[in-house]
Coordinates of all heavy atoms in Angstrom, one line a residue:
M1 N -2.9 -0.9 10.5 CA -2.0 -0.1 9.5 C -2.8 0.0 8.2 O -3.4 -1.0 7.8 CB -0.8 -0.9 9.2 CG 0.2 -0.2 8.4 SD 1.8 -0.9 8.5 CE 1.5 -2.6 8.0
S2 N -2.8 1.1 7.7 CA -3.6 1.3 6.5 C -2.8 1.8 5.3 O -1.6 2.4 5.5 CB -4.7 2.3 6.7 OG -4.1 3.7 6.9
V3 N -3.2 1.5 4.1 CA -2.3 2.0 2.9 C -3.4 2.5 1.9 O -4.5 2.1 1.9 CB -1.6 0.7 2.4 CG1 -2.5 -0.3 1.9 CG2 -0.8 1.3 1.2
A4 N -3.0 3.5 1.2 CA -3.7 4.0 0.2 C -2.9 4.3 -1.1 O -1.7 4.5 -0.9 CB -4.4 5.4 0.6
V5 N -3.4 4.0 -2.2 CA -2.7 4.2 -3.5 C -3.4 5.3 -4.1 O -4.5 5.4 -4.5 CB -2.7 2.9 -4.3 CG1 -1.9 3.3 -5.6 CG2 -1.9 1.9 -3.6
D6 N -2.5 6.3 -4.5 CA -3.0 7.4 -5.3 C -3.1 6.9 -6.8 O -2.1 6.8 -7.6 CB -2.1 8.6 -5.3 CG -2.5 9.8 -6.0 OD1 -3.4 9.6 -7.0 OD2 -2.0 10.9 -5.8
L7 N -4.3 6.6 -7.3 CA -4.4 5.8 -8.5 C -4.4 6.8 -9.6 O -4.1 6.4 -10.8 CB -5.9 5.1 -8.5 CG -6.0 3.9 -7.4 CD1 -7.4 3.4 -7.5 CD2 -5.0 2.9 -7.9
N8 N -4.3 8.1 -9.3 CA -4.1 9.1 -10.3 C -2.5 9.1 -10.8 O -2.1 9.4 -11.9 CB -4.5 10.5 -10.0 CG -6.0 10.7 -9.9 OD1 -6.8 10.1 -10.7 ND2 -6.4 11.3 -8.8
R9 N -1.8 8.9 -9.8 CA -0.3 8.7 -10.0 C 0.1 7.3 -10.6 O 1.0 7.2 -11.3 CB 0.4 9.0 -8.6 CG 0.6 10.3 -8.2 CD 1.7 10.3 -7.1 NE 1.7 11.7 -6.5 CZ 2.8 12.0 -5.8 NH1 3.7 11.1 -5.6 NH2 2.8 13.2 -5.4
C10 N -0.5 6.3 -10.0 CA -0.1 5.0 -10.4 C 0.0 4.8 -11.8 O -1.1 5.0 -12.6 CB -1.1 4.0 -9.6 SG -0.8 2.3 -10.2
Q11 N 0.9 4.2 -12.2 CA 1.2 4.0 -13.7 C 1.1 2.5 -14.1 O 1.5 2.1 -15.2 CB 2.5 4.6 -14.2 CG 2.6 6.0 -14.0 CD 1.7 6.8 -14.9 OE1 1.4 6.6 -16.1 NE2 0.9 7.8 -14.2
G12 N 0.8 1.7 -13.0 CA 0.7 0.2 -13.3 C 2.0 -0.5 -13.5 O 2.1 -1.4 -14.3
Y13 N 3.1 0.0 -12.9 CA 4.4 -0.6 -13.0 C 4.4 -2.0 -12.5 O 5.3 -2.8 -12.7 CB 5.5 0.3 -12.5 CG 5.7 1.6 -13.2 CD1 5.5 2.8 -12.7 CD2 6.1 1.5 -14.7 CE1 5.7 3.9 -13.4 CE2 6.2 2.8 -15.3 CZ 6.0 3.9 -14.6 OH 6.2 5.1 -15.4
A14 N 3.5 -2.2 -11.5 CA 3.4 -3.4 -10.8 C 4.6 -3.9 -9.9 O 4.8 -5.0 -9.5 CB 3.1 -4.6 -11.8
Q15 N 5.5 -2.8 -9.6 CA 6.5 -3.1 -8.7 C 6.0 -3.6 -7.3 O 6.4 -4.5 -6.6 CB 7.4 -1.8 -8.4 CG 8.1 -1.4 -9.7 CD 9.1 -2.4 -10.2 OE1 9.7 -3.2 -9.5 NE2 9.4 -2.3 -11.4
C16 N 4.9 -2.9 -6.9 CA 4.3 -3.2 -5.6 C 3.7 -4.6 -5.6 O 3.9 -5.4 -4.7 CB 3.2 -2.2 -5.3 SG 2.0 -2.1 -6.6
A17 N 3.0 -5.1 -6.8 CA 2.5 -6.3 -6.9 C 3.5 -7.5 -6.8 O 3.3 -8.6 -6.2 CB 1.6 -6.4 -8.0
F18 N 4.7 -7.1 -7.3 CA 5.8 -7.9 -7.2 C 6.3 -8.1 -5.9 O 6.7 -9.3 -5.5 CB 6.9 -7.6 -8.3 CG 8.1 -8.4 -8.4 CD1 8.1 -9.7 -8.9 CD2 9.3 -8.0 -7.9 CE1 9.1 -10.4 -9.1 CE2 10.4 -8.7 -8.0 CZ 10.4 -10.0 -8.5
L19 N 6.5 -7.1 -5.3 CA 7.1 -7.1 -4.0 C 6.2 -7.6 -2.7 O 6.6 -8.1 -1.7 CB 7.7 -5.8 -3.6 CG 9.1 -5.5 -4.4 CD1 9.4 -4.0 -4.3 CD2 10.1 -6.4 -3.9
A20 N 4.9 -7.2 -2.9 CA 4.0 -7.5 -1.8 C 2.7 -8.0 -2.5 O 1.6 -7.4 -2.4 CB 3.8 -6.2 -1.0
P21 N 2.8 -9.2 -3.0 CA 1.5 -9.7 -3.6 C 0.4 -10.1 -2.7 O -0.8 -10.1 -3.3 CB 2.0 -11.1 -4.3 CG 3.3 -11.4 -3.5 CD 3.9 -10.1 -3.1
E22 N 0.6 -10.0 -1.3 CA -0.4 -10.3 -0.5 C -1.3 -9.0 -0.4 O -2.5 -9.0 0.1 CB 0.1 -10.6 0.9 CG 0.9 -11.9 1.1 CD 2.3 -11.8 0.6 OE1 2.8 -10.7 0.2 OE2 3.0 -12.9 0.8
I23 N -0.7 -7.9 -0.7 CA -1.4 -6.6 -0.5 C -1.8 -6.1 -1.9 O -3.0 -5.6 -2.0 CB -0.4 -5.5 0.1 CG1 0.1 -6.1 1.4 CG2 -1.2 -4.2 0.3 CD1 1.2 -5.4 2.0
F24 N -1.0 -6.2 -2.9 CA -1.3 -5.6 -4.2 C -1.4 -6.6 -5.4 O -0.6 -7.5 -5.4 CB -0.3 -4.5 -4.6 CG 0.0 -3.5 -3.6 CD1 1.1 -3.6 -2.8 CD2 -0.7 -2.3 -3.5 CE1 1.4 -2.6 -1.9 CE2 -0.4 -1.3 -2.6 CZ 0.6 -1.5 -1.8
T25 N -2.4 -6.5 -6.1 CA -2.6 -7.4 -7.3 C -2.9 -6.5 -8.5 O -3.6 -5.6 -8.3 CB -3.6 -8.6 -7.1 OG1 -4.8 -7.9 -6.5 CG2 -3.1 -9.7 -6.1
M26 N -2.4 -6.9 -9.7 CA -2.7 -6.4 -10.8 C -3.8 -7.1 -11.5 O -4.0 -8.3 -11.4 CB -1.6 -6.3 -11.8 CG -0.3 -5.6 -11.3 SD -0.7 -3.9 -10.9 CE -1.0 -3.2 -12.6
H27 N -4.9 -6.2 -12.1 CA -5.9 -6.8 -12.7 C -6.0 -6.3 -14.1 O -6.1 -5.0 -14.3 CB -7.2 -6.3 -11.9 CG -8.3 -7.3 -11.9 ND1 -8.3 -8.4 -11.1 CD2 -9.5 -7.3 -12.5 CE1 -9.4 -9.2 -11.3 NE2 -10.1 -8.6 -12.2
G28 N -5.6 -7.2 -15.0 CA -5.4 -6.7 -16.3 C -4.0 -6.0 -16.4 O -3.1 -6.0 -15.7
D29 N -3.7 -5.1 -17.3 CA -2.6 -4.4 -17.7 C -2.3 -3.3 -16.6 O -1.2 -3.1 -16.3 CB -2.5 -3.9 -19.0 CG -2.2 -5.0 -20.0 OD1 -1.6 -6.1 -19.6 OD2 -2.3 -4.8 -21.2
E30 N -3.4 -2.5 -16.3 CA -3.1 -1.4 -15.5 C -3.9 -1.2 -14.2 O -3.6 -0.3 -13.5 CB -3.3 -0.1 -16.5 CG -2.3 0.0 -17.5 CD -2.4 1.5 -18.2 OE1 -3.3 2.1 -18.0 OE2 -1.4 1.6 -19.0
A31 N -5.0 -2.0 -14.1 CA -5.7 -1.8 -12.9 C -5.1 -2.5 -11.7 O -4.8 -3.6 -11.8 CB -7.1 -2.4 -13.1
L32 N -4.8 -1.6 -10.7 CA -4.3 -2.1 -9.4 C -5.4 -2.4 -8.3 O -6.2 -1.5 -8.1 CB -3.3 -1.2 -8.9 CG -2.6 -1.5 -7.6 CD1 -1.7 -2.7 -7.7 CD2 -1.8 -0.2 -7.1
L33 N -5.4 -3.6 -7.8 CA -6.3 -3.8 -6.6 C -5.3 -4.0 -5.4 O -4.3 -4.5 -5.5 CB -7.0 -5.2 -6.9 CG -8.0 -5.1 -8.1 CD1 -8.6 -6.6 -8.1 CD2 -9.0 -4.1 -8.1
Y34 N -5.9 -3.4 -4.3 CA -5.1 -3.6 -3.1 C -6.0 -3.6 -1.9 O -7.1 -3.2 -1.9 CB -4.1 -2.4 -3.0 CG -4.8 -1.0 -2.7 CD1 -4.9 -0.5 -1.5 CD2 -5.2 -0.3 -3.9 CE1 -5.4 0.8 -1.5 CE2 -5.7 0.9 -3.7 CZ -5.9 1.5 -2.4 OH -6.5 2.7 -2.3
D35 N -5.5 -4.3 -0.9 CA -6.2 -4.2 0.4 C -5.7 -3.1 1.3 O -4.6 -3.0 1.7 CB -5.8 -5.6 1.1 CG -6.5 -5.8 2.4 OD1 -7.3 -4.9 2.8 OD2 -6.3 -6.9 3.0
P36 N -6.6 -2.2 1.6 CA -6.3 -0.9 2.3 C -6.0 -1.1 3.8 O -5.4 -0.4 4.4 CB -7.5 0.0 2.1 CG -8.7 -0.9 1.9 CD -8.1 -2.1 1.1
D37 N -6.5 -2.4 4.2 CA -6.3 -2.6 5.7 C -5.2 -3.7 5.9 O -5.5 -4.9 5.7 CB -7.6 -3.1 6.3 CG -7.6 -3.2 7.8 OD1 -6.6 -2.7 8.4 OD2 -8.4 -3.8 8.4
V38 N -4.0 -3.2 6.0 CA -2.7 -4.2 5.9 C -2.4 -4.7 7.4 O -2.3 -3.9 8.3 CB -1.6 -3.5 5.4 CG1 -0.4 -4.4 5.3 CG2 -1.9 -3.0 3.9
D39 N -2.2 -6.0 7.5 CA -1.8 -6.6 8.7 C -0.5 -6.1 9.1 O 0.4 -5.9 8.3 CB -1.9 -8.1 8.7 CG -1.8 -8.8 10.0 OD1 -3.0 -8.9 10.5 OD2 -0.8 -9.2 10.4
E40 N -0.2 -6.0 10.4 CA 1.1 -5.6 10.9 C 2.2 -6.5 10.3 O 3.3 -6.0 10.2 CB 1.2 -5.6 12.5 CG 0.6 -4.3 13.1 CD 1.4 -3.0 12.7 OE1 2.7 -3.1 12.7 OE2 0.8 -2.1 12.5
T41 N 2.0 -7.7 10.2 CA 3.0 -8.7 9.7 C 3.5 -8.4 8.4 O 4.6 -8.8 7.9 CB 2.5 -10.2 9.8 OG1 1.4 -10.3 9.0 CG2 2.1 -10.5 11.1
Q42 N 2.8 -7.5 7.6 CA 3.2 -7.2 6.2 C 3.9 -5.9 6.2 O 4.2 -5.4 5.0 CB 1.8 -7.2 5.4 CG 1.1 -8.4 5.3 CD 1.8 -9.5 4.6 OE1 2.5 -9.3 3.6 NE2 1.7 -10.7 5.1
R43 N 4.1 -5.3 7.3 CA 4.8 -4.0 7.3 C 6.0 -3.8 6.5 O 6.2 -2.9 5.8 CB 4.9 -3.5 8.8 CG 5.5 -2.1 8.8 CD 5.7 -1.7 10.4 NE 4.5 -1.3 10.9 CZ 4.0 -0.2 10.9 NH1 4.6 0.9 10.1 NH2 2.8 0.2 11.6
E44 N 6.9 -4.8 6.6 CA 8.1 -4.7 6.0 C 7.9 -4.7 4.4 O 8.5 -4.0 3.6 CB 9.0 -5.8 6.3 CG 10.5 -5.8 5.9 CD 11.2 -4.6 6.4 OE1 10.9 -4.0 7.4 OE2 12.2 -4.2 5.8
K45 N 7.0 -5.6 4.1 CA 6.8 -5.8 2.6 C 6.2 -4.6 2.1 O 6.4 -4.2 0.9 CB 5.9 -7.0 2.3 CG 6.6 -8.4 2.3 CD 5.8 -9.4 1.8 CE 6.5 -10.7 1.6 NZ 5.7 -11.8 1.0
L46 N 5.3 -4.0 2.8 CA 4.6 -2.8 2.4 C 5.6 -1.7 2.2 O 5.5 -0.9 1.3 CB 3.5 -2.4 3.4 CG 2.7 -1.2 3.2 CD1 2.1 -1.2 1.8 CD2 1.7 -0.9 4.3
A47 N 6.5 -1.5 3.2 CA 7.4 -0.5 3.1 C 8.4 -0.7 1.9 O 8.7 0.3 1.2 CB 8.4 -0.6 4.4
Q48 N 8.7 -1.9 1.6 CA 9.6 -2.2 0.3 C 8.7 -1.8 -0.9 O 9.3 -1.3 -1.8 CB 9.8 -3.7 0.2 CG 10.9 -4.1 1.2 CD 11.2 -5.5 1.2 OE1 10.7 -6.3 0.4 NE2 12.2 -6.0 2.0
A49 N 7.5 -2.2 -1.0 CA 6.7 -2.0 -2.0 C 6.6 -0.3 -2.3 O 6.6 0.2 -3.3 CB 5.3 -2.5 -2.0
A50 N 6.3 0.2 -1.2 CA 6.1 1.8 -1.2 C 7.4 2.4 -1.7 O 7.4 3.3 -2.5 CB 5.7 2.3 0.2
A51 N 8.5 1.9 -1.2 CA 9.9 2.5 -1.6 C 10.1 2.2 -3.1 O 10.8 3.0 -3.8 CB 11.0 2.0 -0.8
A52 N 9.6 1.1 -3.7 CA 9.9 0.7 -4.9 C 9.0 1.3 -6.0 O 9.3 1.3 -7.1 CB 9.8 -0.8 -5.1
C53 N 7.9 1.8 -5.6 CA 7.0 2.5 -6.5 C 7.7 3.6 -7.2 O 8.1 4.6 -6.6 CB 5.8 2.9 -5.8 SG 4.6 3.8 -7.0
P54 N 7.8 3.6 -8.5 CA 8.7 4.8 -9.3 C 7.9 6.0 -9.2 O 8.6 7.1 -9.4 CB 8.7 4.2 -10.6 CG 8.1 2.8 -10.7 CD 7.4 2.6 -9.5
V55 N 6.6 6.0 -8.9 CA 5.9 7.4 -8.9 C 5.4 7.8 -7.4 O 4.6 8.7 -7.2 CB 4.8 7.5 -9.9 CG1 5.4 7.3 -11.3 CG2 3.8 6.2 -9.5
Q56 N 5.9 7.1 -6.4 CA 5.6 7.3 -5.1 C 4.0 7.3 -4.8 O 3.5 8.3 -4.2 CB 6.2 8.6 -4.5 CG 7.7 8.4 -4.1 CD 8.6 8.7 -5.3 OE1 8.4 9.7 -6.0 NE2 9.3 7.8 -5.7
A57 N 3.3 6.5 -5.4 CA 1.9 6.5 -5.3 C 1.4 5.8 -4.0 O 0.1 5.9 -3.8 CB 1.3 5.8 -6.6
I58 N 2.2 5.1 -3.4 CA 1.7 4.2 -2.3 C 1.9 5.1 -1.0 O 3.0 5.6 -0.6 CB 2.6 2.9 -2.1 CG1 2.3 2.1 -3.4 CG2 2.0 2.2 -0.9 CD1 3.2 0.9 -3.5
L59 N 0.8 5.3 -0.2 CA 0.8 6.1 1.0 C 0.5 5.2 2.1 O -0.5 4.6 2.3 CB -0.3 7.3 0.9 CG -0.2 8.1 -0.4 CD1 -1.5 8.9 -0.5 CD2 1.0 8.9 -0.4
V60 N 1.5 5.0 3.0 CA 1.4 4.1 4.1 C 0.9 4.9 5.3 O 1.3 6.1 5.6 CB 2.8 3.5 4.5 CG1 2.6 2.6 5.7 CG2 3.3 2.8 3.4
D61 N 0.0 4.3 6.1 CA -0.7 5.0 7.2 C -1.2 6.2 6.8 O -1.0 7.3 7.4 CB 0.4 5.2 8.4 CG 0.6 3.9 9.1 OD1 -0.3 3.0 9.2 OD2 1.7 3.7 9.6
A62 N -2.2 6.2 5.8 CA -2.8 7.3 5.3 C -3.7 8.0 6.2 O -4.0 9.1 6.1 CB -3.4 7.0 4.0
V63 N -4.2 7.4 7.2 CA -5.1 8.0 8.1 C -4.4 8.9 9.1 O -3.1 8.7 9.2 CB -5.9 6.9 9.1 CG1 -6.8 6.0 8.2 CG2 -4.9 6.0 9.8
D64 N -5.0 9.9 9.6 CA -4.3 10.9 10.3 C -4.0 10.1 11.7 O -4.5 9.2 12.1 CB -5.1 12.1 10.6 CG -6.3 11.9 11.4 OD1 -6.0 11.8 12.8 OD2 -7.4 12.1 10.9
E65 N -2.8 10.6 12.4 CA -2.4 10.0 13.5 C -3.3 9.8 14.6 O -3.2 8.8 15.4 CB -1.0 10.7 14.0 CG 0.1 10.4 12.9 CD 1.5 10.7 13.5 OE1 1.5 11.2 14.7 OE2 2.4 10.6 12.7
K66 N -4.1 10.8 14.9 CA -5.0 10.7 16.0 C -6.0 9.5 15.9 O -6.2 8.8 16.8 CB -5.9 12.0 16.1 CG -5.0 13.0 17.0 CD -5.9 14.1 17.3 CE -5.1 15.2 18.1 NZ -5.6 16.6 18.0
S67 N -6.5 9.3 14.7 CA -7.5 8.3 14.5 C -6.7 6.9 14.5 O -7.3 6.0 15.0 CB -8.3 8.4 13.2 OG -7.4 8.4 12.1
A68 N -5.4 6.9 14.1 CA -4.7 5.7 14.2 C -4.4 5.3 15.6 O -4.5 4.1 16.0 CB -3.3 5.9 13.4
E69 N -4.2 6.3 16.4 CA -4.0 6.1 17.9 C -5.2 5.5 18.5 O -5.3 4.6 19.3 CB -3.5 7.4 18.6 CG -2.1 7.6 18.6 CD -1.7 8.9 19.2 OE1 -2.5 9.4 20.0 OE2 -0.7 9.5 18.7
A70 N -6.4 6.2 18.1 CA -7.6 5.7 18.7 C -7.8 4.2 18.3 O -8.4 3.5 19.2 CB -8.7 6.6 18.2
V71 N -7.6 3.8 17.1 CA -7.8 2.5 16.8 C -6.9 1.6 17.5 O -7.4 0.5 18.1 CB -7.6 2.3 15.2 CG1 -7.5 0.9 14.7 CG2 -8.5 3.2 14.4
S72 N -5.6 1.9 17.6 CA -4.8 0.9 18.3 C -5.0 1.0 19.8 O -4.9 0.0 20.4 CB -3.3 1.2 18.0 OG -3.0 2.6 18.3
G73 N -5.5 2.0 20.3 CA -5.8 2.2 21.8 C -7.0 1.3 22.2 O -7.2 0.8 23.2
A74 N -7.9 1.1 21.2 CA -9.0 0.3 21.4 C -8.8 -1.3 21.3 O -9.7 -1.9 21.8 CB -10.1 0.6 20.3
R75 N -7.6 -1.6 20.9 CA -7.4 -3.0 20.7 C -6.9 -3.6 22.1 O -6.2 -2.9 22.8 CB -6.4 -3.3 19.8 CG -7.1 -3.4 18.3 CD -6.1 -3.7 17.2 NE -6.7 -3.3 16.0 CZ -6.1 -3.0 14.9 NH1 -4.9 -3.1 14.8 NH2 -6.7 -2.6 13.8
Ligands
SF4_101 S1 4.4 0.3 -8.0 FE1 3.3 2.2 -7.9 S2 2.9 2.7 -10.1 FE2 3.4 0.5 -10.0 S3 1.3 -0.5 -9.7 FE3 2.2 -0.2 -7.7 S4 1.4 1.8 -7.0 FE4 1.1 1.6 -9.2

């Protein structure tokens, strides 16, 4: 499962870092760091973080579906 953050939209509200600290961390006041390759066990937290982002900057499963299928099919 992959996640991307549109850093042009992100305003550094840190809702995501509060809800899913395993995935998102704030670095300083506004810089957001995140792990783009999210483990399945974090899916619920990621969904909560994405829903809580005030500017909808968090894009879950940003890869197109065909490549996602190819990746899961290979496992
Ligand atoms: S909740 Fe949204 S705006 Fe806030 S830091 Fe996370 S991605 Fe950025």
Side-chain angles (χ1 to χ4, degrees):
M1 180 165 67
S2 68
V3 62
V5 176
D6 183 342
L7 294 174
N8 292 319
R9 279 195 187 193
C10 173
Q11 300 294 316
Y13 292 121
Q15 298 294 337
C16 55
F18 178 71
L19 288 165
E22 296 85 354
I23 305 166
F24 304 98
T25 45
M26 296 304 293
H27 215 74
D29 279 345
E30 289 194 353
L32 176 70
L33 298 178
Y34 65 99
D35 180 357
D37 188 15
V38 179
D39 194 88
E40 277 298 320
T41 58
Q42 300 292 321
R43 181 178 283 276
E44 187 65 24
K45 279 192 176 182
L46 177 58
Q48 286 178 3
C53 177
V55 292
Q56 283 89 49
I58 300 173
L59 310 168
V60 180
D61 281 331
V63 291
D64 72 70
E65 290 195 2
K66 274 191 183 156
S67 61
E69 275 173 25
V71 169
S72 57
R75 280 183 197 156

